[in-house]
Amino acid sequence: MEEPEVPTEHLQEEIHHQVSRHGQSWTLGVALSSALLASMAAVASLTAGHYANEAMMLQVESANQWSYFQSKSIKEAQLKSKADILEALGKLVSDTDKDKAAEYKEDKGKIQKVAETLQKEAKHHLLKHQVLARSVTLFQIAIAVGAISVLTKRKPFWFVSLGFGAVGLIFVVQAVLFLRGH
């Protein structure tokens, strides 16, 4: 999965340019808050990418376990067919074949538990990725609205920008605290 992109460099430059040119005191706050929002967006983006990679690796490992489960199932079915044919012919099924069939059945149960656990972990990591990706989006919107506030010289837009940033931060906190356990 690809990491969310944070293309805010141009906006940062424009904000700093406007601050130095117009010198309005609140525009310095916009510049500082935008820099902070860009930093949080970068960290959230990197973390979201990490969780996406983890989810993908766990899903691949889960698929490998399900393939292993399938191979055990095929081997078990072959032994069962062999036993059915031998019984139909009135011959005895060897204890080795019976033991091997029981071993395959037991192995399948263990493999299934591992595969299901890996799937559950993959889903959990993907959920964290999605929540962090939302936070990155909100941080980007906040930076853009902050730039709009400086360019239009309208301070209320800065407060809207801070609101978007706060919601983005709530998503980060949710990903870190509430999605901690499995």
Side-chain angles (χ1 to χ4, degrees):
M1 294 185 189
E2 102 183 32
E3 294 179 30
E5 193 174 313
V6 187
T8 58
E9 294 83 21
H10 179 67
L11 290 174
Q12 285 291 336
E13 290 173 16
E14 183 61 30
I15 290 171
H16 289 290
H17 176 71
Q18 291 292 332
V19 167
S20 63
R21 205 168 80 184
H22 296 293
Q24 295 174 339
S25 62
W26 66 272
T27 58
L28 180 59
V30 175
L32 292 174
S33 64
S34 293
L36 184 60
L37 288 166
S39 298
M40 289 189 292
V43 170
S45 177
L46 183 65
T47 308
H50 165 74
Y51 283 117
N53 291 337
E54 285 294 316
M56 191 171 19
M57 290 186 323
L58 287 166
Q59 192 58 41
V60 166
E61 183 59 32
S62 174
N64 288 343
Q65 289 296 313
W66 284 119
S67 293
Y68 188 42
F69 176 90
Q70 184 100 16
S71 72
K72 292 285 186 174
S73 295
I74 291 168
K75 290 176 182 181
E76 180 186 23
Q78 286 175 332
L79 278 176
K80 185 171 178 0
S81 294
K82 178 182 174 184
D84 289 346
I85 291 169
L86 287 173
E87 286 177 357
L89 294 173
K91 299 193 178 202
L92 293 175
V93 178
S94 72
D95 288 338
T96 305
D97 285 347
K98 288 179 184 177
D99 291 344
K100 199 64 172 170
E103 180 183 323
Y104 288 146
K105 187 172 188 168
E106 183 180 327
D107 288 349
K108 282 178 19 186
K110 292 176 186 175
I111 295 166
Q112 182 177 2
K113 285 181 185 176
V114 170
E116 288 171 348
T117 299
L118 289 168
Q119 276 182 321
K120 183 178 177 185
E121 287 181 38
K123 285 181 183 179
H124 183 73
H125 284 299
L126 187 58
L127 177 61
K128 278 189 170 187
H129 161 76
Q130 291 169 337
V131 171
L132 287 166
R134 287 184 189 115
S135 74
V136 171
T137 301
L138 287 165
F139 290 143
Q140 290 174 328
I141 292 169
I143 293 166
V145 173
I148 290 168
S149 74
V150 171
L151 294 172
T152 61
K153 297 179 182 91
R154 293 196 172 131
K155 192 174 180 179
F157 281 126
W158 178 37
F159 297 121
V160 172
S161 166
L162 293 175
F164 277 111
V167 175
L169 191 57
I170 289 170
F171 279 123
V172 170
V173 169
Q174 179 188 17
V176 171
L177 295 179
F178 301 117
L179 297 175
R180 183 177 287 178
H182 294 291

